[in-house]
């Protein structure tokens, strides 16, 4: 599903975020991406949806070379990849419902479909009662869950979750993990970054560890969501 | 793009204008003011131009004939004059008619009482298709047989043409300058609106919106605001013009002031179209930078 060959990323200011990354992630896999702050995890995510271009190397997502996409081909890539951004990226003047609906509207989905799917997605993340709240009226964890609902609302092939449990209490974190597992079971490839070793240890999934932009460990535990 | 999407974009544009109510109102006001100044200036120039043209059309050449020219010679000369391509009309004025006209113009019967013999020669009055050709035609006529003198008020005509040419150049330059200012102000106004929403644009891009999907509501918003400003400016132009025109006609009824209908309507349409066009294109330009995510 995702392949990287010799991928390096150096930001214009000189920061070397990723170095010589080679990896292969299969369809339907569940992968944890771990490592200290500044290791390059978010950069890794940004490369997959072409929010950034690698300085060198090739990235193949769903059979398409992301580094060679023409500008007008990018939207299709992004629609097939759901993302929970580390900083949520919610629209401040839209309600929770509208923020989620937004991801469907850009795909020109029918109003009927939007009305069916948006509440369902928000219910999945446990925010059914906060449909009409604006982001600033929500707690950090709730905003995070709105962001998660938005990322899964159009059944993406790949789900990138950058610290989806970063602001959540343990109970809610486990609810989110169950949800991600559920999504993974339906065939979606999930890549999740986290600093929570507790979760990583208990889930028993493939773990890719980054340090200073280099893969220092890639543990294939072979376990899938039960 | 589906019809549903376009309707959705219209709603978005309208609600965005409403949401930024204060800012939208200010923008529309500024744009309307620019368009009003531009439109007003165009109307002034158009009127001056119209007046100048009217005066130009009265330019004529008077050809005085030699006394010894036979009647056949006169007819022949008349035909030769009419054959010149710049000439529109040739009118024969006999000695007697000439004297009559002079008497009327001078309105001084005593002078004429002293004159026993008519001193005036026969003459032709030539009207031209293009007043600017007056000098060329005069020198051509000068070379013909049987002509005593050619008269067209050389100095006066030259001054008139200098004036109309200057008016034309000043008019075009000023309109161009005003147009540039209008475009800059509109662009800047829209750019502020786009800048305020750069985050929204980025997020739209990241969840997979196409550039057109993002651009369209901004385009529509710019266009709607331009339309509103254009209509506002038109309103003021229309009533302002009829007010000023009435005053001017009362003061100087001899001026060939442009009627309400023709030019004013054109200028008003132009102002609305310009507002919409500039509003739309400047949003398209302002947004370009933020689409590169
Ligand atoms: N837009 C940017 N411009 C310049 N440097 C950047 C940019 N984004 C990230 N970096 C740098 O690249 C490196 C990797 O950053 P990245 O955000 O990928 O880390 P991370 O692993 O996600 O960290 P965290 O766990 O804190 O989220 C860091 O040194 C960071 O300073
Ligand atoms: Mg990060």
């Amino acid at each position: 599903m995702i392949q990287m060959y010799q991928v390096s990323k150096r930001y214009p200011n000189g920061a070397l975020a990723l170095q010589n990354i080679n990896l292969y992630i299969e369809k339907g896999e569940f992968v944890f991406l771990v490592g200290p702050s500044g290791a390059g995890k978010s950069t890794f995510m940004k490369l997959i949806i072409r929010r950034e271009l690698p300085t060198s190397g090739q990235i193949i997502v769903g059979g398409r070379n992301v580094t060679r996409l023409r500008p007008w081909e990018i939207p299709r890539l992004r629609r097939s990849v759901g993302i929970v951004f580390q900083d949520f990226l919610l629209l401040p003047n839209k309600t929770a419902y509208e923020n989620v609906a937004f991801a469907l509207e850009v795909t020109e989905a029918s109003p009927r479909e939007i009305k069916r799917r948006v509440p369902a997605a928000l219910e999945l993340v446990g925010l059914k009662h906060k449909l009409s709240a604006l982001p600033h009226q929500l707690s950090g964890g709730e905003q995070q869950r709105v962001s998660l609902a938005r990322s899964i609302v159009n059944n993406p092939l790949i789900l990138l979750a950058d610290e989806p449990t970063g602001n959540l209490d343990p109970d809610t974190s486990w609810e989110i993990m169950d949800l991600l597992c559920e999504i993974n079971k339906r065939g979606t490839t999930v890549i999740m970054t986290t600093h929570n070793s507790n979760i990583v240890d208990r889930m028993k999934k493939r773990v890719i560890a980054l340090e200073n932009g280099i893969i220092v460990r890639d543990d294939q535990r072979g376990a899938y969501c039960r | 793009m589906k019809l549903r999407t376009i309707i959705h974009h219209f709603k978005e544009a309208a609600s965005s204008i409403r949401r930024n109510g204060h800012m939208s109102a200010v923008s529309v006001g500024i744009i309307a003011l620019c368009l009003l100044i531009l439109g007003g200036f165009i109307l002034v120039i158009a009127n001056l131009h119209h007046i100048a043209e009217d005066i130009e059309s009265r330019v004529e050449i008077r050809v005085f004939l030699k006394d010894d020219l036979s009647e056949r010679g006169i007819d022949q000369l008349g035909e030769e004059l009419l054959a010149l391509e710049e000439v529109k009309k040739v009118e024969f004025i006999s000695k007697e008619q000439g004297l009559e006209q002079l008497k009327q113009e001078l309105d001084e019967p005593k002078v004429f009482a002293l004159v026993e013999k008519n001193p005036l020669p026969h003459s032709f009055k030539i009207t031209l298709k293009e007043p600017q050709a007056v000098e060329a035609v005069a020198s051509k006529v000068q070379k013909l047989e049987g002509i005593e003198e050619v008269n067209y008020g050389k100095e006066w005509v030259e001054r008139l043409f200098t004036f109309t040419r200057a008016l034309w150049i000043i008019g075009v330059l000023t309109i161009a300058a005003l147009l540039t200012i209008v475009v800059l102000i509109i662009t800047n106004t829209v750019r502020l609106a786009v800048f305020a929403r750069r985050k929204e644009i980025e997020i739209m891009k990241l969840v997979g919106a196409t550039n057109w999907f993002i651009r369209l509501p901004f385009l529509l918003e710019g266009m709607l605001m331009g339309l509103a400003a254009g209509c506002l400016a038109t309103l003021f132009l229309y009533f302002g013009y009829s007010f000023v025109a009435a005053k001017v006609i009362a003061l100087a009824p001899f001026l060939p002031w442009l009627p309400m209908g023709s030019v004013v309507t054109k200028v008003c349409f132009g102002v609305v179209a310009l507002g919409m066009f500039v509003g739309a294109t400047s949003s398209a330009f302002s947004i370009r930078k933020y689409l590169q995510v």
Side-chain angles (χ1 to χ4, degrees), chain A residues 95-105 111-125 127-128 131 149-150 153:
Chain A
T95 64
Y97 181 94
E98 288 166 344
N99 262 291
V100 177
F102 190 66
L104 282 177
E105 278 161 8
R112 182 144 38 87
E113 203 167 358
I114 292 176
K115 270 196 204 101
R116 185 171 57 80
R117 282 180 161 186
V118 175
L122 279 163
E123 188 174 0
L124 266 181
V125 298
L127 279 182
K128 202 183 163 195
L131 295 184
R150 181 180 63 190
V153 74

Side-chain angles (χ1 to χ4, degrees), chain A residues 164-181:
Chain A
T165 59
N167 291 281
L168 303 178
D169 61 275
D171 280 354
T172 322
S173 291
W174 280 112
E175 274 171 32
I176 294 298
M177 287 319 297
D178 287 344
L179 179 61
L180 290 179
C181 256

Side-chain angles (χ1 to χ4, degrees), chain A:
Chain A
M1 197 42 117
I2 298 171
Q3 299 167 64
M4 292 199 181
Y5 298 109
Q6 317 253 311
V7 171
S8 297
K9 173 65 188 178
R10 185 188 287 279
Y11 283 104
N13 67 358
L16 191 55
L18 289 174
Q19 286 181 65
N20 204 16
I21 302 292
N22 288 290
L23 60 73
Y24 179 73
I25 294 173
E26 244 176 282
K27 181 165 168 38
E29 252 189 296
F30 194 117
V31 179
F32 283 114
L33 197 59
V34 300
S37 182
K41 305 182 295 293
S42 295
T43 304
F44 182 95
M45 304 282 206
K46 286 174 186 169
L47 289 178
I48 292 174
I49 56 159
R50 213 185 132 150
R51 193 178 178 184
E52 298 284 352
L53 267 175
T55 318
S56 63
Q58 306 296 323
I59 302 169
I60 318 283
V61 176
R64 313 206 67 193
N65 192 329
V66 171
T67 53
R68 299 230 180 102
L69 288 183
R70 314 296 306 152
W72 60 88
E73 295 172 314
I74 296 175
R76 210 172 75 177
L77 166 75
R78 291 179 179 166
R79 286 174 197 184
S80 65
V81 182
I83 322 152
V84 185
F85 298 98
Q86 194 168 12
D87 44 1
F88 317 146
L89 289 185
L90 297 177
L91 291 168
N93 50 14
K94 284 197 190 313
T95 64
Y97 181 94
E98 288 166 344
N99 262 291
V100 177
F102 190 66
L104 282 177
E105 278 161 8
V106 304
T107 68
E108 301 193 40
S110 73
R112 182 144 38 87
E113 203 167 358
I114 292 176
K115 270 196 204 101
R116 185 171 57 80
R117 282 180 161 186
V118 175
L122 279 163
E123 188 174 0
L124 266 181
V125 298
L127 279 182
K128 202 183 163 195
H129 55 295
K130 297 260 163 105
L131 295 184
S132 52
L134 291 167
H136 72 87
Q137 296 164 334
L138 295 170
S139 73
E142 285 166 339
Q143 290 180 39
Q144 201 157 32
R145 282 183 278 161
V146 175
S147 182
L148 179 61
R150 181 180 63 190
S151 72
I152 58 173
V153 74
N154 58 355
N155 290 326
L157 288 173
I158 299 169
L159 179 63
L160 307 178
D162 203 350
E163 300 255 11
T165 59
N167 291 281
L168 303 178
D169 61 275
D171 280 354
T172 322
S173 291
W174 280 112
E175 274 171 32
I176 294 298
M177 287 319 297
D178 287 344
L179 179 61
L180 290 179
C181 256
E182 183 59 36
I183 292 162
N184 179 240
K185 254 192 264 180
R186 290 189 208 156
T188 299
T189 311
V190 178
I191 303 176
M192 165 177 168
T193 74
T194 182
H195 290 294
N196 189 332
S197 52
N198 196 8
I199 288 180
V200 177
D201 290 344
R202 293 227 341 237
M203 292 286 289
K204 302 208 182 343
K205 301 278 188 262
R206 179 176 174 185
V207 180
I208 297 174
L210 282 173
E211 248 170 64
N212 293 321
I214 300 171
I215 297 182
V216 292
R217 187 160 57 93
D218 187 349
D219 277 352
Q220 189 81 50
R221 309 211 183 154
Y224 287 79
C225 286
R226 280 151 286 144

Side-chain angles (χ1 to χ4, degrees), chain B residues 72-91:
Chain B
R72 255 197 65 227
I74 293 175
D75 283 349
Q76 203 180 333
L77 192 61
E79 269 159 39
E80 271 176 67
L81 290 176
L82 200 56
L84 293 172
E85 63 175 326
E86 298 93 337
V87 171
K88 189 161 92 186
K89 211 174 96 191
V90 177
E91 192 184 341

